[in-house]
Amino acid sequence: MANARQRLDRFISASSQIPRGDVRKLVAARRITVDGDFACDAGLLVDYFSHITLDSKTLQRNTRRYYLLHKPAGVVSATTDEIHPTVIDLLRTSGVSDCALKDLHIAGRLDRSSTGLLLLTNDGEWSKKMTAPDKNISKVYQVTVEKPINHDYIEAFRDGMFFPYEGITTKPAQLEIIDTYSARVTLMEGKYHQIKRMFGRFRNPVLKLHRIGIGTIELDSTLESGQFRELTQNEVRLTNSC
Ligand code: URA
């Protein structure tokens, strides 16, 4: 969900049923404000986060929200699901209001069985930056597998693997062996079931997959599984400049 921009007269006309031609007169009469200043042009571009008033009455006010969740296994990275609990259900039962949950979406999903760092936001531009493959934002995972890992894995992950279904080759990924059955994997992209499929090339099933970092944001060690917190301004900003 990108924060689409639109002309002020279009927004006012849609939200107040005032003909677009009349919005110009309201602007001239200094009856409309955008982000605290009188609008001076009916063609001004506004978006979902522009605070817009008409005769001091708020027509739109949305706050940017960013959450970091320690996702437990068994919870679906989706806003709705008919069978399983979703991360939105989890936030709701943890006390986040329906109003704050309204436009949240997930910036980089995890499989239902995967755990760890999950980001949610209502800021479409930010989530787009976090997930766009050309932005090269790293995603770091701790992986536990069924069979021993050897040095061939390091090369194979670095060289990339061809996924015939999508017709793509994965970008160079870093695999560091932690011990016989576990590794730390850093991806610069997020293809469907990517890590499971990459270990699948070695016929080595993934038993546990836990995300610990996205870009400059790390999973907070004080957060128990199922807990969340808001991102700090610094975390939002640092990741914005990646
Ligand atoms: N790769 C996977 O296979 N699953 C995830 O949840 C994340 C990355």
Side-chain angles (χ1 to χ4, degrees):
M1 191 217 321
N3 309 332
R5 291 190 175 81
Q6 60 177 315
R7 289 174 56 103
L8 177 64
D9 50 5
R10 199 161 207 267
F11 171 85
I12 301 271
S13 161
S15 58
S16 313
Q17 275 75 53
I18 295 169
R20 275 173 79 169
D22 290 351
V23 175
R24 222 171 299 132
K25 293 177 200 156
L26 298 173
V27 166
R30 294 165 71 86
R31 291 173 58 187
I32 298 175
T33 67
V34 176
D35 294 332
D37 294 324
F38 288 113
C40 51
D41 180 357
L44 184 73
L45 292 180
V46 294
D47 67 21
Y48 182 73
F49 296 109
S50 305
H51 177 205
I52 301 170
T53 71
L54 170 59
D55 293 335
S56 305
K57 192 176 140 229
T58 293
L59 298 184
Q60 173 177 271
R61 175 158 224 168
N62 292 308
T63 307
R64 288 181 169 80
R65 293 187 304 276
Y66 308 90
Y67 294 104
L68 184 167
L69 170 70
H70 184 165
K71 179 193 166 308
V75 174
V76 183
S77 295
T79 48
T80 58
D81 191 272
E82 288 185 358
I83 302 169
H84 302 287
T86 68
V87 288
I88 296 291
D89 296 330
L90 188 59
L91 293 182
R92 185 178 292 112
T93 51
S94 307
V96 180
S97 70
D98 281 341
C99 176
L101 290 174
K102 186 173 56 132
D103 297 313
L104 285 189
H105 59 274
I106 295 150
R109 291 165 192 277
L110 283 172
D111 294 341
R112 183 158 60 94
S113 58
S114 302
T115 59
L117 172 54
L118 192 78
L119 300 174
L120 297 107
T121 183
N122 63 349
D123 182 347
E125 269 177 20
W126 187 80
S127 59
K128 219 163 134 189
K129 274 190 215 154
M130 297 297 288
T131 52
D134 61 322
K135 298 289 180 200
N136 285 325
I137 302 238
S138 60
K139 286 109 192 151
V140 186
Y141 300 86
Q142 274 167 359
V143 190
T144 307
V145 288
E146 193 179 294
K147 299 177 199 163
I149 304 169
N150 61 46
H151 281 81
D152 294 347
Y153 287 60
I154 299 176
E155 266 178 47
F157 275 61
R158 191 191 53 216
D159 292 349
M161 294 181 190
F162 182 66
F163 285 172
Y165 185 70
E166 297 98 324
I168 51 113
T169 300
T170 57
K171 287 185 178 178
Q174 194 186 0
L175 181 142
E176 299 156 71
I177 299 176
I178 298 173
D179 60 34
T180 314
Y181 296 100
S182 63
R184 181 190 297 250
V185 175
T186 305
L187 302 181
M188 305 308 284
E189 59 191 343
K191 303 288 177 215
Y192 180 66
H193 291 333
Q194 183 164 345
I195 291 186
K196 289 177 184 158
R197 290 160 81 195
M198 292 179 90
F199 279 96
R201 286 291 159 88
F202 292 89
R203 305 202 183 288
N204 196 349
V206 170
L207 302 179
K208 276 191 201 158
L209 186 47
H210 183 67
R211 186 156 64 195
I212 55 171
I214 301 180
T216 54
I217 301 174
E218 289 177 2
L219 181 61
D220 203 319
S221 59
T222 62
L223 287 181
E224 304 276 338
S225 173
Q227 290 185 324
F228 74 94
R229 67 164 172 82
E230 293 197 34
L231 289 186
T232 63
Q233 282 183 0
N234 210 25
E235 285 171 321
V236 173
R237 211 177 24 239
L238 276 174
T239 315
N240 247 337
S241 60
C242 282

